[in-house]
Amino acid sequence: MNLPLWLYYVIGFPLLLGPLVTIHELGHYLVGRWFGVHAEAFSVGFGKEIWGFTDRRGTRWKLSVLPLGGYVQFKGDMNPASIPDPQAARHASAEEREGSFHHAALWKRALIVFAGPATNILLTLAIFAGFFAFYGKPVPADAEQQLAVAEFAEVSPAREAGIEVGDRIVAVEGERMEDFRDVQDSIMLYPGRTLDITVDRDGTERTFAVPVRSVEMEDRFGNVSKVGLIGIASGASAFEFEPQGVIASLGLAVDHSIGIVDMMVTGIGQIFTGERSVQELGGPVKIAKFSGEQLSLGGMAFINFVALISLNLAFINLLPIPALDGGHLAFYAAEAIRRKPVGPRGTEVAYRAGVALVLMLMVFVTINDLVHLPVFGN
């Protein structure tokens, strides 16, 4: 469709976030219902309700005004963040305990909380597995030539370090390489570092310490990202696609997802160590921008982006921050070890701090997104 880009933004963001939030919350809801826990409200979005209905089980299904997430509020929750009310839980009658989330067995509560991120992970695996099953597994047509250095860029740290044309790259930082994409993935995440690159030259392996250039690259939409380059070109670039069965496709999807998570952890770690700027963090505005851009590239690009954001959503929710799913799981782990719940005062302080941290992070990334929009002259 030849539509204005701004229209893709308007369509792409709700088309991305609405289903992902709904799937995430359905994971909580369905497992909770399976265990007999009553859901008082199921909301897509936060804040004031703009539309909704109450089903025969007494659950209020609604759309809310802020489309930046969602929640399931179970019986016994003090608020949509599922923060328990210790006083109410302690003095609850037998009738109030029936169907209450906080009176369910510990393992049931843990599974209900984990079900949200789990559904996002399953969605990601289903999309990636579908791609592998439909298209096949990409394998280099000539692996030997693909790993061989054919030429150097005008500025090439690899050449300066001693690597020569014809050398075949066999390992980066001790990790064996299967094709040139492995080499790219092993280098682009580490701009500014010096990496040990092992090559095969005339049957002998040699290792060179290669400083990685930090280069800012811009895509067709003007998005700038910092990547690492060493200034080499592959001797061959062709790939062939091997057909895959369902089980093999699922295994490839798991491997691919683990690789993405590893990249996310590496990137976050680099932000904490100062190797990357905090300006690389993105929030809802940047997600809306990227979703529209990917939608403009076609359905397959957008579905792939859905899988990436779904995996990101699961990863973020599993962080051990109170008020997120991972924070709840951390409290349940402490309860399992102590054989009793964390004290009401500690629970309240931790959850309030967690909510404050999440809100501050949301404000920061939103401002960060806004100041990088073209309308502000950047």
Side-chain angles (χ1 to χ4, degrees):
M1 296 182 294
N2 189 19
L3 302 175
L5 190 56
W6 66 266
L7 190 55
Y8 283 107
Y9 297 151
V10 174
I11 299 172
F13 187 54
L15 194 61
L16 169 80
L17 206 58
L20 287 184
V21 169
T22 302
I23 288 172
H24 179 97
E25 299 305 333
L26 272 175
H28 293 309
Y29 171 80
L30 291 174
V31 175
R33 179 174 162 181
W34 185 23
F35 289 143
V37 176
H38 173 62
E40 295 180 339
F42 185 111
S43 177
V44 176
F46 297 108
K48 186 177 179 180
E49 177 183 328
I50 55 177
W51 179 85
F53 68 94
T54 303
D55 66 16
R56 58 187 179 85
R57 292 184 176 82
T59 302
R60 183 68 180 174
W61 298 77
K62 55 186 178 179
L63 291 174
S64 300
V65 68
L66 292 175
L68 301 178
Y71 62 88
V72 177
Q73 185 166 348
F74 290 109
K75 181 179 179 181
D77 288 342
M78 192 162 58
N79 54 38
S82 289
I83 298 176
D85 186 342
Q87 294 297 328
R90 189 179 300 113
H91 300 101
S93 63
E95 183 180 352
E96 291 171 332
R97 291 171 182 263
E98 181 69 26
S100 170
F101 174 80
H102 299 286
H103 290 96
L106 178 60
W107 66 273
K108 291 183 178 181
R109 283 179 279 146
L111 286 178
I112 292 170
V113 169
F114 180 69
T119 53
N120 288 120
I121 294 171
L122 291 175
L123 175 64
T124 297
L125 294 178
I127 292 174
F128 287 154
F131 282 154
F132 284 118
F134 185 78
Y135 292 107
K137 175 186 176 182
V139 295
D142 188 337
E144 291 288 323
Q145 281 300 308
Q146 199 173 96
L147 287 170
V149 178
E151 59 180 314
F152 295 106
E154 185 176 346
V155 179
S156 176
R159 179 176 54 200
E160 295 173 2
I163 294 177
E164 299 177 357
V165 171
D167 289 349
R168 185 170 59 86
I169 299 175
V170 296
V172 177
E173 290 289 289
E175 183 178 348
R176 308 301 287 189
M177 300 289 105
E178 294 184 4
D179 55 50
F180 196 68
R181 290 192 307 177
D182 286 346
V183 177
Q184 292 173 313
D185 291 343
S186 300
I187 293 171
M188 69 177 187
L189 276 177
Y190 303 101
R193 289 195 188 182
T194 297
L195 302 178
D196 288 335
I197 298 181
T198 303
V199 303
D200 183 298
R201 180 183 298 171
D202 299 326
T204 303
E205 290 192 0
R206 305 184 183 187
T207 300
F208 298 89
V210 181
V212 181
R213 288 182 64 207
S214 179
V215 180
E216 289 190 345
M217 302 192 72
E218 185 174 318
D219 65 14
R220 70 177 73 182
F221 301 106
N223 301 308
V224 177
S225 57
K226 186 170 72 171
V227 300
L229 298 175
I230 60 172
I232 61 172
S234 168
S237 59
F239 278 86
E240 297 175 346
F241 290 86
E242 292 182 349
Q244 302 292 311
V246 174
I247 302 301
S249 296
L250 184 57
L252 290 170
V254 171
D255 290 340
H256 187 55
S257 299
I258 291 173
I260 293 172
V261 172
D262 183 60
M263 292 174 65
M264 287 191 291
V265 172
T266 299
I268 292 173
Q270 290 175 339
I271 289 174
F272 275 104
T273 59
E275 293 180 73
R276 291 186 179 271
S277 169
V278 292
Q279 293 184 357
E280 294 192 35
L281 290 173
V285 176
K286 187 172 287 186
I287 292 175
K289 182 176 184 294
F290 287 170
S291 63
E293 291 166 355
Q294 295 302 308
L295 183 60
S296 74
L297 296 177
M300 291 298 100
F302 183 73
I303 292 172
N304 182 67
F305 186 67
V306 169
L308 293 174
I309 295 301
S310 185
L311 191 59
N312 271 268
L313 186 61
F315 176 79
I316 291 171
N317 269 280
L318 287 173
L319 294 176
I321 300 174
L324 297 181
D325 293 334
H328 290 288
L329 292 174
F331 272 105
Y332 300 153
E335 183 176 340
I337 294 171
R338 301 172 73 243
R339 298 186 179 276
K340 62 179 181 179
V342 178
R345 178 59 180 167
T347 301
E348 180 181 0
V349 170
Y351 276 113
R352 289 184 183 276
V355 170
L357 178 62
V358 171
L359 290 176
M360 286 190 296
L361 183 60
M362 284 293 294
V363 170
F364 173 78
V365 295
T366 302
I367 294 174
N368 194 33
D369 290 349
L370 292 174
V371 297
H372 285 88
L373 290 177
V375 71
F376 288 96
N378 190 301

